[in-house]
Amino acid sequence: MKNIFFVVLLFILLNACKQKEEPVIFTKYDESTELLEQQNHEINRMQFKLIQSKYLDMNEVFKPFEEDLANFSEDDYLNLVPFILEKDIPTIQEYVNNRILSYERIVLFYLYRIRKYESNSNLALHSIIALNPTIIEEAREKDRKRPANLKNAVYGLPILLKDNINTVGMPTTAGAFALSENLNTENAFIVKQLKDKGALILGKANLSEWAYFFCSDCPVGYSAIGGQTLNPYGRKIFETGGSSSGSGVSVAANYAVAAVGTETSGSILSPSSKNAVVGLKPTVGLLSRTGIVPISSTLDTPGPMTKSVIDTAILLSAMLGEDANDIITKGNNKQLKYVDSLNYSTLRGKRVGVFKELLTDSIYKKSIQVIRRAGAEIIEFEQPKISLNGFLTLLRIDMKKDLPAYLRNDADKNIKISNIESIVEFNLQDVVKRAPYGQQLFEAILQDTTSIEAFELIKQNLHTKGLEFFNTPMDTHNLDAILSINNYHAGFAAVAKYPCLAVPMGYEGTGEPISLTFIAKPFQEEKLLKLGYAFEKLTKVRTLPNNYK
């Protein structure tokens, strides 16, 4: 008994003597020289006008965590690295089951890691806009109520959301200063689904402002609220992809277990590919859009962005649900077992279509060879010569009606803006801060006079063209899937309502990531995940960015 007393006393004394970590201060720096050098970039839209946000104060973002992080040391962080960094969801949950990890320690790890890199002006990625101020207490609650033997579950795990997805306790800004006070909202339907499964919402990820339908040929990953998101594989060298830029960058840099993005055309596929993460653009109608700042009710969908195909399947499953307020989800969520189906993944015997034009890419060609050696039948075909006339008109007319509907039904009631015109006028009051790259696409929305009848015809024609683009080779050759690169064919998939899965397939000679994109017919996400999982097991090419290991 006396020995136990002395052990307890020693533990108390050691903890009492443990020095608290010095507070970390986020400081603004002079970026003028950096921006001057950036004007030499060969890509025009990489010639940034600014990098740091004019509005966001990360000291305020981290204030709720000061005390807890003061008691979480660099040694604590390093001790957790082998159990969290680059690990998939089943592995992390197994460590929790074995008491190696707790959900509180996992949250502290990610908060510490975000602060560690984002407070360093030479490493900051500007991928985080907000953090959930109550997440540590929420994690403790998850530890207290943890079910036994969790494996393929989001329970207790910190997930980031693109900042156009409504979340209680944090503003939903779409990156725009006009929505900086959009705080008092209900959770978006998919957020309710995630929280019902026990997920922890870690925070909000930066994005291309208004989901990249705002300014013309401006930098991807820029928003007035969040500043310029940077690619961890090449800060200021490689584009981040967009518009779910912060989601892709944050997952690549291991700032969260996983993230949720949204896509209209390429906005999940592009940043996933540019940041070597797995991204799924589901069929429109599989996941609810209620409570998400829209571009197009015709094409918009949220989707998972993760470090592995199995995590994509787990996160997708957690967001499923029929939403009475988004009628296109009706009947689309029955008996879907994406995670279990991965046990039966194989490429053997699959008929896979390959664009002849893309075989000039050495990494794509090598990936096709891997798939062929795994037993798949490769069918080469020439890309159908089809154009998508009217695509921008579709986006303009949809956004003209869909954004006011969001502001009316799902935004904070105190928000002053009500439509595109009021946003344009609001931004003109301080263009340098609110719209430094202009707002040409919003202005074009105001100028578009397309009638309802003409709009419906454009929408139907685009859908027909998209179906023709994919169905011609798929039906002619009886294909299971078509293989593309990055977001090369995202526009056709968008209007055809075809799901797409981007899986890392390598790195260019420059070090820039590149992905193989699997495309299948509507509601064949299970098929895509199984194909992607089989390919991922054969290749395993994803690696951490060098400066973020």
Side-chain angles (χ1 to χ4, degrees), residues 346-365:
T346 183
L347 291 165
R348 184 166 300 281
K350 303 302 180 186
R351 294 177 58 83
V352 180
V354 171
F355 292 102
K356 286 183 179 179
E357 295 85 346
L358 297 186
L359 288 169
T360 56
D361 185 290
S362 61
I363 300 175
Y364 179 77
K365 186 175 182 178

Side-chain angles (χ1 to χ4, degrees), residues 313-540:
I314 292 169
L315 186 54
L316 175 66
S317 300
M319 291 189 284
L320 292 173
E322 199 169 291
D323 176 12
N325 293 317
D326 191 356
I327 58 173
I328 65 167
T329 62
K330 187 175 181 180
N332 295 336
N333 284 260
K334 296 176 180 176
Q335 297 180 333
L336 300 172
K337 296 183 178 179
Y338 297 125
V339 181
D340 291 345
S341 72
L342 297 182
N343 293 323
Y344 308 100
S345 299
T346 183
L347 291 165
R348 184 166 300 281
K350 303 302 180 186
R351 294 177 58 83
V352 180
V354 171
F355 292 102
K356 286 183 179 179
E357 295 85 346
L358 297 186
L359 288 169
T360 56
D361 185 290
S362 61
I363 300 175
Y364 179 77
K365 186 175 182 178
K366 181 180 177 181
S367 297
I368 301 307
Q369 291 169 347
V370 168
I371 291 170
R372 179 182 277 115
R373 286 197 297 269
E377 187 173 352
I378 302 299
I379 294 90
E380 298 179 11
F381 65 91
E382 293 182 355
Q383 177 175 308
K385 295 184 178 359
I386 294 172
S387 59
L388 297 179
N389 297 325
F391 190 85
L392 286 178
T393 302
L394 168 61
L395 301 187
R396 286 194 293 264
I397 301 305
D398 258 352
M399 197 171 193
K400 185 184 285 189
K401 65 179 175 61
D402 292 336
L403 183 54
Y406 166 85
L407 295 171
R408 187 170 57 250
N409 300 322
D410 297 306
D412 189 312
K413 300 308 176 188
N414 295 316
I415 293 293
K416 303 294 187 222
I417 57 170
S418 58
N419 53 31
I420 299 292
E421 185 175 9
S422 63
I423 297 168
V424 169
E425 291 174 355
F426 177 83
N427 288 333
L428 288 174
Q429 295 170 22
D430 190 351
V431 172
V432 173
K433 284 188 176 180
R434 298 175 185 177
Y437 296 100
Q439 47 187 342
Q440 300 88 344
L441 296 181
F442 268 28
E443 291 164 349
I445 291 173
L446 297 179
Q447 295 163 6
D448 196 314
T449 58
T450 304
S451 67
I452 294 175
E453 294 78 10
F455 169 69
E456 290 300 327
L457 184 60
I458 287 169
K459 188 162 66 170
Q460 184 54 54
N461 285 343
L462 283 168
H463 183 55
T464 301
K465 292 294 185 184
L467 289 176
E468 183 183 349
F469 184 88
F470 289 114
N471 285 357
T472 298
M474 292 194 86
D475 293 344
T476 300
H477 303 294
N478 191 26
L479 302 178
D480 289 292
I482 289 174
L483 302 182
S484 180
I485 296 175
N486 295 1
N487 60 320
Y488 285 14
H489 299 96
F492 291 101
V495 294
K497 311 291 178 69
Y498 271 38
C500 309
L501 177 70
V503 181
M505 68 170 171
Y507 299 85
E508 306 279 7
T510 59
E512 185 173 19
I514 182 171
S515 285
L516 187 66
T517 300
F518 297 78
I519 304 169
K521 289 191 174 183
F523 300 105
Q524 291 189 348
E525 281 78 7
E526 181 179 309
K527 178 182 286 187
L528 288 181
L529 290 165
K530 288 164 71 175
L531 291 171
Y533 187 67
F535 174 73
E536 181 186 64
K537 283 198 299 184
L538 288 171
T539 53
K540 297 179 180 176

Side-chain angles (χ1 to χ4, degrees), residues 144-160:
R144 287 190 288 269
K145 297 181 176 180
R146 181 178 64 86
N149 300 318
L150 288 171
K151 184 180 181 184
N152 300 321
V154 295
Y155 182 94
L157 300 182
I159 308 295
L160 281 168

Side-chain angles (χ1 to χ4, degrees), residues 41-237:
H41 201 289
E42 61 184 11
I43 300 174
N44 287 339
R45 62 184 184 183
M46 287 288 286
Q47 296 168 7
F48 306 140
K49 292 184 177 182
L50 71 163
I51 295 174
Q52 300 169 98
S53 169
K54 303 282 188 188
Y55 295 108
L56 188 64
D57 182 355
M58 291 299 284
N59 293 300
E60 289 298 314
V61 171
F62 271 89
K63 187 169 284 187
F65 318 115
E66 283 179 356
E67 186 63 28
D68 289 290
L69 288 177
N71 292 297
F72 187 85
S73 68
E74 176 76 5
D75 285 342
D76 292 328
Y77 165 77
L78 292 174
N79 287 337
L80 293 178
V81 164
F83 306 107
I84 300 176
L85 202 65
E86 283 293 288
K87 297 297 186 286
D88 60 25
I89 288 173
T91 301
I92 291 175
Q93 291 288 21
E94 186 62 26
Y95 287 137
V96 176
N97 290 336
N98 293 329
R99 310 286 182 176
I100 295 169
L101 294 174
S102 69
Y103 298 125
E104 180 185 358
R105 301 293 278 178
I106 293 169
V107 166
L108 286 168
F109 173 89
Y110 285 117
L111 290 173
Y112 187 94
R113 183 171 171 84
I114 293 168
R115 188 185 65 175
K116 177 185 176 75
Y117 289 107
E118 293 305 302
S119 62
N120 183 331
S121 61
N122 294 314
L123 293 172
L125 301 170
H126 308 289
S127 64
I128 303 295
I129 279 183
L131 293 169
N132 175 3
T134 62
I135 191 169
I136 294 176
E137 184 49 49
E138 290 176 32
R140 290 171 184 148
E141 183 71 8
K142 296 301 179 190
D143 281 322
R144 287 190 288 269
K145 297 181 176 180
R146 181 178 64 86
N149 300 318
L150 288 171
K151 184 180 181 184
N152 300 321
V154 295
Y155 182 94
L157 300 182
I159 308 295
L160 281 168
L161 306 175
K162 184 178 181 179
D163 194 28
N164 60 349
I165 301 172
N166 280 4
T167 315
V168 170
M170 287 173 278
T172 299
T173 71
F177 184 67
L179 286 181
S180 59
E181 301 301 320
N182 188 26
L183 177 59
N184 295 310
T185 67
E186 294 184 4
N187 283 321
F189 183 87
I190 59 166
V191 178
K192 292 176 185 174
Q193 296 300 98
L194 287 169
K195 290 177 77 68
D196 284 348
K197 309 297 189 308
L200 296 170
I201 305 305
L202 175 59
K204 309 297 279 292
N206 201 0
L207 69 163
S208 306
E209 190 166 336
W210 295 110
Y212 207 55
F213 203 70
F214 176 55
C215 48
S216 180
D217 203 32
C218 48
V220 289
Y222 171 79
S223 75
I225 293 294
Q228 181 62 55
T229 316
L230 300 173
N231 189 320
Y233 290 94
R235 288 179 80 256
K236 300 176 289 180
I237 300 170

